Amino acid sequence: MGKTVLAKFSKEQLRDFIAQNNEQKFRADQIFSWIWAKNAKSFDDMTDIKKEFREFLKENCEIIDVKIKKRQISKDSTVKYLVQFSDGLCAECVLMRFDNRSNLSMCVSTQVGCKMGCKFCATGKNGFKRNLLAYEIVSQILLAQIDTGLKITNVVFMGQGEPLDNYENVIQALELINKNLQISIRRITLSTSGIVDKIYDLSKQELVPTLAISLHAPNHKIRELIMPIEKKYDILSLKKALCDFCLATKDRVTIEYILISGLNDTKECAQELCEFLKDIKCNINLIPYNPVSDENNFKKPSKYDMMKFKYILEASGKKVTIRLERGADIDAACGQLAGKAD
Ligand code: SAH
Ligand code: SF4
């Protein structure tokens, strides 16, 4: 039999486990805090637990069974981890600071691979392997905390996979991040390619993260060219869902828009996008296309073209940012995560 993995337990389950092993229940709270708040690397770090019990824990338990298989550090200090789950499959997650504010953000994966097949993204290229469990999603954050000894302050569901295609596990993961890691739901952002039914479901949850939408086109015709999901949930049904989401949650959504030279970055596209977004309470995040090896020959626009696109949108009164490119030299930027072991 394998060792008992303590990070899989809720506080209540940990209390039961400790009681079954004839220790006082308050030990569970100490251990819980060592794991989730104090980044213990091993049971030896848990100095307020008496030695005999630590020995018992060492023999029979492990803190976490997800491992760091590889760590890469970018010139801009972005860190990419390749993590390996207990069945041997791997996924990537990325640690970074956004916009030079005092935060430490973790970008987590929700699936090994992705079914959505967006033309510009490396994740879908290797097909889909499986959904990650809630514990496996949260363990990416925990591992980074243990590895760095730092507290993660923000989480973005923007790694490999489509979070709303793994709905139940993602909802549970939100709860764990909020409860165990004590990260406010306001500091959690979930990005989706636009699974309309699930956007409605999400708006009714107790914990609703900030919603980011991978729109990437101002109309059906262009979106269909680059995102197969447009065939199932078209851009107009997505628009309706976003308006309803804003009404239900009283929140603003983020519109993500990858700029691909000559395809969706023209003046006409910018004007059409302004019109499309007119009724949606949103901020816009422009993402320069990050090259991934693809057969489509997509290119990043020039800085000048990006600026013109941004100005047209800003003139419509929306807040527009251009996403800083992070970790491109280690393939950690948006869309570059492929989860390859070598
Ligand atoms: N599956 C979700 C979340 C992960 S992708 C989604 O699609 O929203 C995170 C963001 O990176 C999305 O906005 C995605 O569209 C974008 N992205 C994917 N490939 C990219 C690329 N090559 N260059 C820039 N952004 C990319
Ligand atoms: Fe999947 Fe998102 Fe990549 Fe599309 S952009 S293939 S939904 S991970």
Side-chain angles (χ1 to χ4, degrees), residues 86-117:
S86 56
D87 65 353
L89 284 177
C90 294
E92 286 170 327
C93 53
V94 181
L95 183 68
M96 69 201 130
R97 273 198 321 128
F98 268 128
D99 307 333
N100 293 324
R101 279 185 263 118
S102 63
N103 65 52
L104 192 57
S105 296
M106 190 76 206
C107 174
V108 295
S109 290
T110 54
Q111 297 179 316
V112 179
C114 183
K115 293 180 209 155
M116 301 300 143

Side-chain angles (χ1 to χ4, degrees), residues 98 101 103-105 152-158 174-175 177-179 182-190 206-212 245-246 248-254 281 283:
F98 268 128
R101 279 185 263 118
N103 65 52
L104 192 57
S105 296
I152 308 287
T153 61
N154 295 58
V155 179
V156 294
F157 284 71
M158 293 189 187
L174 288 172
E175 241 181 84
I177 295 168
N178 185 245
K179 257 195 180 167
Q182 300 271 305
I183 297 176
S184 152
I185 191 69
R186 306 196 64 81
R187 290 175 170 270
I188 307 178
T189 300
L190 182 152
E206 205 180 304
L207 291 173
V208 185
T210 300
L211 187 65
F245 185 92
C246 292
T249 61
K250 302 189 180 63
D251 263 342
R252 210 170 272 280
V253 294
T254 301
K281 241 173 77 185
N283 298 325

